[in-house]
């Protein structure tokens, strides 16, 4: 008898649903997405799941695996030996069906951001060290796992007040580009709601691309906003954020 | 089905496919002033297959190797394509690629830099100079993301997760497309004055493949059903270095960048076998040669434990590897349990790219269907019998833009209303819902799996008459069974239902691949026949073009366009332009920086 994994996958839609158990034969090196595909091919052809690349490049296969936001194609099943593997869709967004969440809100936010606005024409003269900092932000695969875990969006559903960590990263990318000339500071403060972030760092914890979302994107952007609007109290804010960092919680909570 | 109440959109230019080619076309069409532009993808925006490209985009900018020029890029591309490419397509491509890459920089892409602060370029197989502009090993993502954010800042209506099942005609001209929203299965109809087909390739017909789920060849199959011409279908690229172990990740790509940055291939006897097959270019030979060499080593008993070759980059040191190939380092570590900074790893060929496709005009990307333009992997003309790594990302930029311009011009000058036949829509709607009437019908996943087995066995890296004939028989039988494919459940996000249409398209194109391979009785580029092992001069004069005619499918032999003397002169040189011995000194100077 070959080894089996037990998957408990959420099946349902806007009208509700529940987890169902499936048995999947173990293949060396298989990832959670392989197991979900096995279930599709053998037990439940209509099981809804998004994926494209199966190589952790496209950011389509985001889900909550045993409560942790992860990419299904990058999560090895042998991490869960002897456990039932519970797979749920991202819960911060409305559900479409099964493991598919409605992430359209993110695309609406993306449209609001002032795009890259170069001050001169390419070819640009930029040294590698000039761009190292922004290249980190370019690693983002738009999996929206950071959005999923951010308590401002998840627990407080403040989607109308905060763009969320993904778009702080995007704004940092444009803002810190050596040749960019646009001013996004007012937008960051107002519509973007950067003040809503209290630097819990949960987003950084789950980022499959290991982007230092808080340290390298959000905090420097907060400083820019503070410089512009609250220069006198800038130091105070810095001290506060430092404190919160050390008392951060890392695991997402969804009761 | 009431067509009156069906969701309907009308555009001047409709772009089908939101990969690199489609996005670039839409951006161009929308920049022309005043035309309405729609863009459709069957995935979410920014997730298209292009996102997977790793190594880079080839353009003779000459930032690292100054003697590089469009002529050298032309020379390399024709040579690698074994001269069945359309020379004019290649010429346009080689001349325009540098401007297209710079344009990306202008729009926010941040390429790796040279010490002079310019775009860095790396070596790749078959390129005479270091030519691939890159961002670590995630160049496709950078390209796609840059175009994605460019597109949303323009006036383009974007449709995500909409699958088109049929292209529509108004008499002899294109009229639009019909499909459904994956999210809830409701139907949608698009009217268009001009349509750009940018739906990518069909690498998913093989079992071991580097391709994303989208690569099911929908666009090529739909165009063919309308009478569109498909060319060079037998030409499939197998990338030499896919992951082999563990089985869960078999086929996943190991970028050519690993060899470009100095990775070396060994067999089980620790022999650097590429020295035997291509002493001059070794690991950086073209993909057809390297893939075949690995295949031969394995066949002759010198393979690795899981039937591949060893690839080793560890001599470059951990810092270098982590900076130049961070994605590869992480991919092999998390998915393969291998630290490539310390040890070699197993690789074997994986299906990677489909060179064949919709025959497209060299300058306008026009197809034989008026109003239909094709760009990117779905189109055919640029790559010939073997694509050079890095040429595809440049391809989708150059010809995405050109298709956008041509579609804009066509739409602008098209007179009269676009008329769509109601009956045709009703028929299609009925056809698309049919699988639900057969809940116990054939399982599309099973058919897909059998199709992949058959293609990998019969028309993979090695081919011969018997293999191909047996393969064709299997495919034809599967086509029969596929008529009975069924779907369970409802219309809301139902992959089992969606798979039915993917599989239909793949079965059609698989048949054409085999028929083309039977027709080409020689070995050339990616097409290797053991019963005709030589490349034949006579065969090199022809492209094979498939089309539906009133008396069934047929294959036409169409002459390969003949180069004007000036280009012939370039191709006939003994060494690539810029590589002449007298210039070697300069070049080394440029390269040492
Ligand atoms: C792992 C990997 C690495 C690669 N690395 C490189 C590299 O380094 N350099 C290089 O030059 N090339 C590389 N390539 C090749 C290159 O990435 C592709 O050839 C290229 O991206 C194709 O782009 P495209 O725009 O033509 O099509 P795609 O990116 O495949 O886009 C097709 C689009 O069409 C849409 N579509 C398809 N069918 C339908 C339908 N029925 N209805 C609606 N929409 C539909 C899809 O949703 C998608 O948006 C690589 C390929 C792979 C797989
Ligand atoms: S640090 Fe915390 S509050 Fe701020 S964006 Fe990240 S998860 Fe949200
Ligand atoms: S920042 Fe990281 S977690 Fe957030 S969307 Fe991008 S890749 Fe995903
Ligand atoms: S399928 Fe692309 S990230 Fe998982």
């Amino acid at each position: 008898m070959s080894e089996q994994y037990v998957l408990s996958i959420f099946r349902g839609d806007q009208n509700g649903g529940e987890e169902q158990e499936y048995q999947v034969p173990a293949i060396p090196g298989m990832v959670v997405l392989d197991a979900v595909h096995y279930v599709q091919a053998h037990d439940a052809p209509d099981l809804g799941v998004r994926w494209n690349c199966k190589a952790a490049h496209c950011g389509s296969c985001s889900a909550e695996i045993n409560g942790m936001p992860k990419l299904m194609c990058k999560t090895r099943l042998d991490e869960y030996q002897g456990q039932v593997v519970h797979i749920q869709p991202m819960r911060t967004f409305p559900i479409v069906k099964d493991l598919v969440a409605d992430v359209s809100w993110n695309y609406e936010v993306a449209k609001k951001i002032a795009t890259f606005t170069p001050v001169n024409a390419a070819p640009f003269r930029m040294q590698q060290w000039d761009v190292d900092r922004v290249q980190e932000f370019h690693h983002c695969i738009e999996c929206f796992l950071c959005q999923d875990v951010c308590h401002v969006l998840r627990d407080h559903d403040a989607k109308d007040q905060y763009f969320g960590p993904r778009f702080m990263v995007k704004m940092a990318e444009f803002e810190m580009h050596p040749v960019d000339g646009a001013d996004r500071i007012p937008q960051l403060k107002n519509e973007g709601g950067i003040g809503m972030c209290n630097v819990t760092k949960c987003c950084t914890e789950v980022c499959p691309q290991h982007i230092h979302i808080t340290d390298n994107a959000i905090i420097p952007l907060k400083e820019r906003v503070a410089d512009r609007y609250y220069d006198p109290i800038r130091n105070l804010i810095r001290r506060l954020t430092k404190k919160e960092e050390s008392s951060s919680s890392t695991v997402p909570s969804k009761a | 089905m009431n067509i009156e109440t069906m969701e309907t959109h009308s555009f001047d230019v409709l772009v089908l496919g939101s990969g690199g080619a489609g996005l670039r076309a839409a951006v161009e069409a929308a920049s022309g002033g005043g035309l309405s532009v729609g863009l459709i993808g069957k995935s979410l925006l920014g997730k298209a297959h292009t996102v997977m490209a790793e190594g880079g985009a080839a353009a003779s900018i000459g930032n690292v190797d100054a003697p590089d020029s469009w002529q050298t890029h032309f020379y390399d591309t024709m040579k690698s394509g074994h001269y069945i490419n359309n020379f004019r397509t290649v010429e346009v491509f080689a001349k325009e690629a540098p401007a297209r890459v710079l344009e990306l920089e202008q729009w926010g892409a941040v390429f790796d830099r040279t010490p002079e602060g310019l775009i860095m370029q790396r070596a790749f197989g078959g390129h005479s100079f270091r030519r691939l502009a890159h961002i670590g090993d995630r160049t496709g993502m950078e390209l796609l993301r840059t175009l994605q954010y460019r597109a949303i800042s323009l006036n383009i209506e974007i449709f995500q997760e909409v699958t088109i099942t049929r292209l529509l005609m108004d008499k002899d001209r294109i009229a639009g497309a019909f499909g459904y929203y994956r999210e809830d299965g409701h139907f949608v109809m698009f009217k268009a004055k001009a349509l750009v087909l940018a739906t990518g390739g069909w690498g998913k017909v093989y079992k071991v493949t580097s391709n994303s789920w989208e690569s099911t060849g929908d666009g090529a199959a739909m165009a063919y059903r309308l009478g569109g011409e498909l060319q060079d279908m037998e030409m499939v690229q197998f990338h030499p270095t896919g992951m082999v172990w563990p089985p869960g990740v078999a086929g996943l790509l190991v970028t050519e960048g690993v060899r470009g940055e100095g990775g070396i291939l060994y067999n089980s006897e620790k022999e650097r076998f590429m020295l035997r097959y291509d002493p001059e270019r070794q690991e950086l030979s073209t993909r057809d040669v390297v893939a075949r060499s690995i295949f031969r080593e394995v066949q002759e008993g010198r393979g690795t434990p899981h039937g591949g070759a060893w690839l080793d980059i560890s001599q470059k040191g951990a810092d270098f590897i982590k900076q130049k190939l961070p994605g590869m380092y992480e991919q092999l570590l998390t998915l393969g349990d291998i630290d490539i900074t310390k040890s070699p790893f197993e690789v074997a060929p994986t299906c990677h790219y489909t060179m064949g496709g919709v025959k497209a005009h060299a300058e306008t990307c026009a197809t034989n269907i008026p109003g239909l333009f094709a760009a990117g992997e779905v189109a055919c003309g640029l790559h010939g019998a073997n694509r050079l790594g890095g040429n595809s990302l440049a391809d989708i930029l150059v010809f995405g833009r050109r298709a956008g311009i041509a579609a804009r011009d066509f739409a602008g000058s098209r007179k009269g209303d676009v008329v769509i036949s109601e009956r045709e829509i009703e028929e299609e709607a009925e056809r698309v819902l049919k699988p639900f009437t057969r809940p116990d019908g054939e399982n599309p996943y099973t058919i897909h799996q059998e199709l992949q087995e058959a293609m990998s066995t019969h028309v993979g890296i090695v081919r011969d008459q018997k293999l191909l004939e047996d393969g064709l028989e299997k495919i034809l039988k599967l086509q029969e069974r596929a008529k009975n494919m069924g779907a369970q459940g409802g219309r809301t996000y139902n992959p089992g239902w969606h798979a039915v249409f993917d599989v239909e398209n793949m079965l059609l194109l698989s048949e054409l691949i085999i028929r083309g391979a039977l027709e080409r009785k020689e070995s050339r580029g990616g097409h290797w026949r053991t019963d005709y092992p030589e490349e034949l001069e006579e065969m090199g004069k022809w492209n094979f073009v498939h089309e539906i005619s009133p008396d069934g499918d047929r294959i036409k032999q169409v002459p390969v366009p003949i180069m004007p003397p000036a280009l012939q002169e370039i191709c006939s040189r003994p060494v690539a332009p810029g590589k002449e011995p007298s210039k070697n000194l300069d070049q080394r100077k440029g390269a040492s920086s």
Side-chain angles (χ1 to χ4, degrees):
Chain A
M1 256 289 297
S2 64
E3 208 191 326
Q4 302 263 328
Y5 287 111
V6 181
L7 265 57
S8 183
I9 303 177
F10 178 81
R11 302 297 312 268
D13 53 26
Q14 292 137 316
N15 306 317
E18 58 185 5
E19 286 187 2
Q20 275 183 34
E21 274 196 9
Y22 302 92
Q23 314 276 328
V24 177
I27 299 171
M30 86 196 290
V31 292
V32 171
L33 185 62
D34 291 319
V36 171
H37 283 159
Y38 180 91
V39 172
Q40 262 186 343
H42 295 89
D43 306 306
D46 62 336
L47 169 62
V49 60
R50 268 199 195 103
W51 72 287
N52 268 41
C53 67
K54 204 175 104 63
H57 286 331
C58 74
S60 302
C61 65
S62 307
E64 297 181 9
I65 304 170
N66 284 359
M68 279 303 287
K70 287 183 173 218
L71 296 178
M72 283 186 271
C73 72
K74 209 186 168 187
T75 307
R76 296 260 298 250
L77 265 174
D78 44 21
E79 284 177 33
Y80 299 94
Q81 235 138 22
Q83 301 172 36
V84 175
V85 186
H86 298 271
I87 314 175
Q88 293 264 342
M90 287 193 285
R91 286 300 184 188
T92 296
F93 308 110
I95 186 163
V96 175
K97 191 183 121 189
D98 304 338
L99 300 178
V100 180
D102 172 3
V103 293
S104 54
W105 171 74
N106 294 287
Y107 291 92
E108 292 309 313
V109 175
K111 276 195 259 180
K112 295 180 186 163
I113 295 173
T115 192
F116 174 60
T117 316
V119 290
N120 52 290
F124 304 144
R125 287 269 174 185
M126 305 185 289
Q127 291 300 326
Q128 187 61 44
W129 56 82
D130 291 331
V131 300
D132 276 342
R133 186 161 72 149
V134 284
Q135 277 191 334
E136 179 187 8
F137 307 139
H138 287 244
H139 283 122
C140 172
I141 57 175
E142 301 207 322
C143 65
F144 307 129
L145 288 172
C146 56
Q147 306 284 78
D148 185 46
V149 81
C150 175
H151 68 101
V152 180
L153 307 175
R154 188 178 181 110
D155 301 331
H156 308 289
D157 197 20
K159 295 196 183 78
D160 51 346
Q161 293 167 55
Y162 182 38
F163 285 177
R166 157 56 188 142
F167 295 101
M168 294 301 114
V169 170
K170 189 74 203 174
M171 291 180 82
E173 172 193 321
F174 288 153
E175 195 63 21
M176 296 180 197
H177 190 298
V179 187
D180 179 75
D183 177 12
R184 295 173 193 78
I185 303 302
Q187 188 182 34
L188 274 167
K189 174 174 178 286
N190 302 318
E191 194 188 6
I194 193 168
M196 298 291 285
C197 162
N198 55 354
V199 204
T200 58
K201 284 198 177 181
C202 309
C203 50
T204 304
E205 292 285 326
V206 302
C207 176
Q209 293 295 86
H210 312 300
I211 299 171
H212 298 90
I213 303 175
T214 21
D215 288 357
N216 293 353
I218 298 181
I219 294 174
L221 288 179
K222 275 179 178 281
E223 283 171 2
R224 289 184 186 203
V225 171
D227 277 355
R228 171 91 50 97
Y229 293 97
Y230 323 97
D231 200 26
I233 49 166
R234 182 176 157 197
N235 285 334
L236 180 68
I237 288 192
R238 267 201 183 152
R239 260 187 289 128
L240 283 177
T241 42
K242 279 247 169 60
K243 208 153 83 205
E244 295 212 12
E245 269 167 42
S246 50
S247 62
S248 66
S249 69
T250 51
V251 182
S253 61
K254 172 86 186 177
Chain B
M1 185 79 246
N2 187 351
I3 173 164
E4 314 264 275
T5 58
M6 187 178 293
E7 180 180 329
T8 305
H9 303 269
S10 290
F11 294 103
D12 294 315
V13 176
L14 180 66
V15 180
L16 185 48
S18 51
L23 276 164
R24 188 64 191 80
V27 162
E28 197 62 28
S31 312
L35 294 192
S36 59
V37 180
L39 176 67
I40 306 174
K42 65 176 178 175
S43 295
L44 293 174
L45 188 62
K47 312 287 181 204
H49 179 78
T50 297
V51 92
M52 300 177 76
E54 294 163 351
S60 60
I61 312 175
N63 285 349
V64 184
D65 290 332
D68 200 6
S69 64
W70 76 260
Q71 287 92 339
T72 319
H73 198 180
F74 177 84
Y75 175 98
D76 291 342
T77 304
M78 290 302 299
K79 184 172 174 193
S80 163
H82 294 252
Y83 305 102
I84 59 165
N85 345 35
N86 179 336
F87 75 86
R88 180 65 184 142
T89 310
V90 181
E91 183 188 2
V92 165
F93 164 79
K95 285 181 174 164
E96 292 181 8
R100 296 288 79 76
V101 168
L102 283 180
E103 192 169 67
L104 279 188
E105 173 156 284
Q106 182 76 22
W107 294 342
V110 178
F111 292 93
D112 288 354
R113 316 308 294 178
T114 65
E116 295 75 32
L118 297 170
I119 293 176
M120 183 68 156
Q121 299 185 271
R122 67 158 53 116
F124 238 56
H127 289 282
S128 297
F129 292 109
R130 285 169 288 181
R131 189 177 281 148
L132 270 73
H134 61 274
I135 300 96
D137 48 14
R138 42 171 203 86
T139 313
M141 186 166 99
E142 186 78 3
L143 184 156
L144 196 71
R145 197 75 72 229
T146 304
L147 291 173
Q148 168 190 347
Y149 276 82
R150 178 89 190 156
I152 62 173
S153 74
L154 296 169
N155 196 8
I156 299 170
E157 197 169 340
I158 297 173
F159 299 85
Q160 304 191 42
E161 295 194 313
V162 168
T163 300
I164 296 302
T165 62
R166 179 162 175 161
L167 300 178
L168 306 169
M169 295 285 272
D170 176 358
K171 297 192 199 71
D172 60 342
R173 290 188 294 186
I174 200 76
F178 172 92
Y180 57 82
Y181 283 87
R182 291 162 62 81
E183 184 167 316
D184 58 6
H186 85 264
F187 290 139
V188 54
M189 181 170 85
F190 299 89
K191 287 188 186 181
K193 292 186 179 164
L195 196 146
V196 176
L197 201 60
T199 46
W202 40 98
K204 272 287 175 198
V205 301
Y206 289 90
K207 188 171 126 191
V208 175
T209 176
S210 66
N211 282 206
S212 83
W213 80 271
E214 294 186 315
S215 302
T216 55
D218 304 357
M222 289 188 289
Y224 182 74
R225 292 194 191 101
L226 281 192
E229 294 177 330
L230 305 188
Q231 179 177 301
D232 299 342
M233 293 300 286
E234 68 277 17
M235 295 302 178
V236 177
Q237 177 166 78
F238 293 86
H239 192 293
T241 61
M243 280 175 77
V244 181
W245 189 257
V249 294
L252 199 62
L253 193 75
V254 173
T255 175
E256 189 166 324
V258 175
R259 280 170 292 138
E261 299 292 354
I264 293 173
L265 288 165
Y266 298 102
N267 61 21
S268 61
E269 292 164 12
K270 301 230 164 61
E271 181 205 5
R272 189 173 174 186
F273 59 87
M274 282 312 298
L275 285 170
R276 250 189 294 124
Y277 294 99
D278 188 343
E280 196 190 326
R281 298 182 295 185
Q282 302 145 16
E283 278 77 10
L284 290 181
S285 183
T286 48
R287 288 177 177 172
D288 48 345
V289 175
V290 182
R292 254 193 316 270
S293 306
I294 295 178
F295 182 86
R296 281 217 172 104
E297 288 302 299
V298 174
Q299 251 194 343
E300 289 166 17
R302 292 185 296 273
T304 55
H306 304 103
W310 294 111
L311 180 56
D312 194 359
I313 179 111
S314 60
Q315 79 281 4
K316 285 282 182 179
D319 289 347
F320 178 87
I321 296 169
K322 285 181 194 169
Q323 198 227 326
K324 284 292 181 182
L325 302 157
M328 282 300 115
Y329 168 72
E330 168 140 3
Q331 176 179 315
L332 280 130
L333 197 64
T334 52
L335 300 177
D337 295 326
I338 293 158
D339 182 346
I340 63 170
T341 66
K342 298 208 174 81
S343 58
F345 52 102
E346 285 179 85
V347 291
T350 178
C351 171
H352 191 55
Y353 189 87
T354 45
M355 273 82 73
V358 184
K359 189 173 176 3
H361 187 272
E363 284 156 35
T364 61
C365 307
T367 67
N368 65 320
I369 298 171
L372 182 68
F373 302 83
E377 192 166 341
V378 70
C380 179
L382 177 62
H383 306 293
N386 177 53
R387 176 182 74 97
L388 275 182
N391 269 6
S392 181
L393 290 185
D395 170 13
I396 61 187
L397 295 172
V398 169
F399 295 105
R401 171 175 164 277
R402 279 185 167 261
I405 295 173
R408 197 170 74 197
D409 293 348
F410 187 93
S413 61
R414 181 165 173 170
K415 303 260 172 347
D417 282 346
V418 172
V419 182
I420 284 173
S421 140
E422 285 193 21
R423 201 178 43 90
E424 207 179 317
I425 298 289
E426 278 161 15
E427 266 173 29
E428 181 62 4
E430 197 186 310
R431 184 186 79 89
V432 171
L433 290 177
K434 208 60 190 216
F436 287 116
T437 66
R438 295 185 289 254
D440 297 320
E442 288 276 0
N443 179 341
Y445 296 105
T446 311
I447 304 254
H448 186 193
Q449 205 185 338
E450 289 182 32
L451 160 76
Q452 290 181 320
E453 295 280 353
M455 291 299 284
S456 300
T457 310
H458 294 277
V459 59
I461 277 199
V462 262
R463 304 164 176 189
D464 68 30
Q465 191 76 15
K466 174 89 175 63
L467 270 175
L468 291 169
E469 280 170 356
D470 293 351
L472 184 59
E473 203 181 306
K474 286 192 188 169
I475 298 298
L476 296 178
K477 279 197 186 131
L478 283 172
Q479 285 178 350
E480 276 310 306
R481 279 173 53 196
K483 290 184 180 149
N484 193 33
M485 281 187 289
Q488 299 166 14
R491 285 166 76 173
T492 306
Y493 218 106
N494 185 343
W497 176 43
H498 305 160
V500 169
F501 311 108
D502 297 343
V503 169
E504 280 174 354
N505 294 329
M506 286 188 281
L507 279 167
L508 169 62
L509 299 180
S510 296
E511 180 190 338
L512 302 186
I513 292 174
I514 300 184
R515 289 196 188 279
L518 278 165
E519 208 65 29
R520 193 170 277 286
K521 294 187 169 40
E522 64 158 349
S523 291
R524 180 179 296 272
H527 175 66
W528 180 30
R529 283 192 59 159
T530 45
D531 48 350
Y532 297 96
E534 303 299 322
E535 186 167 306
L536 305 176
E537 200 184 325
E538 170 56 26
M539 274 286 173
K541 295 179 182 149
W542 306 103
N543 295 113
F544 294 112
V545 174
H546 305 249
E547 68 173 4
I548 293 183
S549 74
D551 20 82
D553 300 10
R554 61 173 181 158
I555 303 182
K556 299 186 283 193
Q557 271 198 1
V558 175
V560 172
I562 298 186
M563 280 185 253
L567 295 179
Q568 256 171 31
E569 187 276 316
I570 296 178
C571 288
S572 61
R573 296 193 200 172
V575 288
K579 281 277 188 188
E580 296 86 358
S582 60
K583 287 196 182 161
N584 251 357
L585 221 85
D586 298 355
Q587 185 211 323
R588 240 180 282 128
K589 235 195 278 159
S592 67
S593 52

